[in-house]
Amino acid sequence: MTETTKPLLAALRGGHPDRTPIWLMRQAGRYLPEYRALRARANGFLDLCYTPDFATEVTLQPLRRFDLDAAILFSDILVVPHGLGQKVWFVEGEGPKLEPLTGTAALDALDLSAMAEKLKPVYETAARVKAALPAGKALIGFAGAPWTVATYMLEGGSSRDFLKAKRWAYGDPDGFQRLIDLLVDATVQHLEAQIAAGAEAVQIFDSWAGALDEDAFERWTVAPIRAIASRIRANHPDVPITGFPNRAGTLYESFALHAGVDAVSVDPTWTVETIARRLRPHVAVQGNLDPGRLVAGGPDMIRRVRAICDRLAPMGGFVFNLGHGVLPSTNPDHVAQVVEAVRAADADRV
Ligand code: 1CP
């Protein structure tokens, strides 16, 4: 099978592959017992990300169990602030913690020139995974979008209201722009290093895009992602770029039109009919099963899978995925059932 016939890459370019490609955001992780076993052997989550032996194995674990069409490099969006010199750590059961940046002065402490060296093990992992991938499976690289990464850098972790980030972004946009510009540069460098190591497609996660109003969404989500996409496309015209402006509601359409990406990953709040009519004419689409369906399982889960596939797969330019990441309480058997349902939908169409 040649590179161009990998189903994921064909679909992200808007084509009609032989089968509907499927992968799941957060397909590696705590819902898999083999992940938890390896996680227990590592010296914390960052050590897992920065030890190529571990990270390669964790990346491949979901592909050993399920007939998925892609591996996503095992890493995290917060390796970029860590690579820039910010203090980042993970508390089990609580999530990421960062020593929060305060004000413009803190920006001067961040050093892009040190990042490539620090993140070398991540790129080494990408190269090892690429060499080990079965035929027909693609390797996806990823990064967080500048706005989402900035929220963690400023809030010091997860947040409900993002008020530290918004106070700066809305109150002093030109100052905040300096942080976003640095993150655009860092993201381009990080994604290009993954591509050089073997990533065949990249995804930009803007998990907190839905917190922004329309003016801020244009400036802090669409514009930075457009800058990243155009710089990557100039050097790597064959690498499809997917954007995920999670929970952006009616702003999704503007994203599909103006962010300069090949594909848009769609959250679960979208009806399949609206995806087909409002997004698919502009970009390839990926999504959008509610991760809660995958936790609950049962015939209603399968019905949703069929409804998504039956409306979107015939249009081409479609990748089956969840509308957000796999939740830790997911039963792995349900993942196998979803993959089977996507394959059955293909079989019933021909
Ligand atoms: O304790 C553990 O074992 C850590 C859990 C975990 C895992 C498995 C974290 C901490 N990150 C990851 C891996 C990861 N994160 C991947 C690669 C694995 C895969 O997809 O198979 C990817 C793509 C991410 C991306 C990521 N990290 C995002 C964007 C996607 C999303 O879910 O919106 C975000 C927001 C993060 C931050 C982060 N890292 C970890 C957690 C628990 C979080 C979310 C915290 C929050 O909700 O604010």
Side-chain angles (χ1 to χ4, degrees), residues 24-30 35 39 45 72-78 90 92 95-96 142 148 152 158 205 207-208 244 324-325:
L24 304 178
M25 291 190 266
R26 297 283 190 100
Q27 64 191 24
R30 277 172 295 170
Y35 171 84
R39 170 85 161 82
F45 177 73
I72 179 161
L73 175 67
F74 188 82
S75 176
D76 195 77
I77 64 168
L78 299 175
F90 288 80
E92 211 161 351
F142 76 94
T148 287
Y152 287 98
S158 301
F205 289 88
S207 303
W208 308 120
F244 178 39
H324 203 169

Side-chain angles (χ1 to χ4, degrees), residues 227-310:
I228 292 164
S230 78
R231 284 167 60 182
I232 291 177
R233 183 156 301 114
N235 292 330
H236 308 279
D238 297 333
V239 174
I241 303 167
T242 302
F244 178 39
N246 184 38
R247 301 273 168 167
T250 56
L251 298 168
Y252 246 96
E253 211 171 348
S254 163
F255 185 89
L257 279 165
H258 304 301
V261 295
D262 300 281
V264 166
S265 201
V266 187
D267 72 53
T269 64
W270 279 70
T271 67
V272 287
E273 194 54 36
T274 324
I275 296 171
R277 289 174 191 253
R278 307 293 285 270
L279 300 179
R280 181 63 192 90
H282 312 305
V283 286
V285 293
Q286 171 174 281
N288 76 335
L289 186 74
D290 182 348
R293 290 273 174 211
L294 201 58
V295 173
D300 286 346
M301 171 184 82
I302 301 299
R303 265 195 285 279
R304 276 313 304 160
V305 173
R306 289 301 293 245
I308 293 167
C309 287
D310 290 348

Side-chain angles (χ1 to χ4, degrees), residues 314-329:
M315 302 182 83
F318 170 64
V319 176
F320 188 92
N321 207 313
L322 300 179
H324 203 169
V326 176
L327 296 164
S329 56

Side-chain angles (χ1 to χ4, degrees), residues 142-154:
F142 76 94
W147 160 251
T148 287
V149 174
T151 66
Y152 287 98
M153 295 173 83
L154 297 168

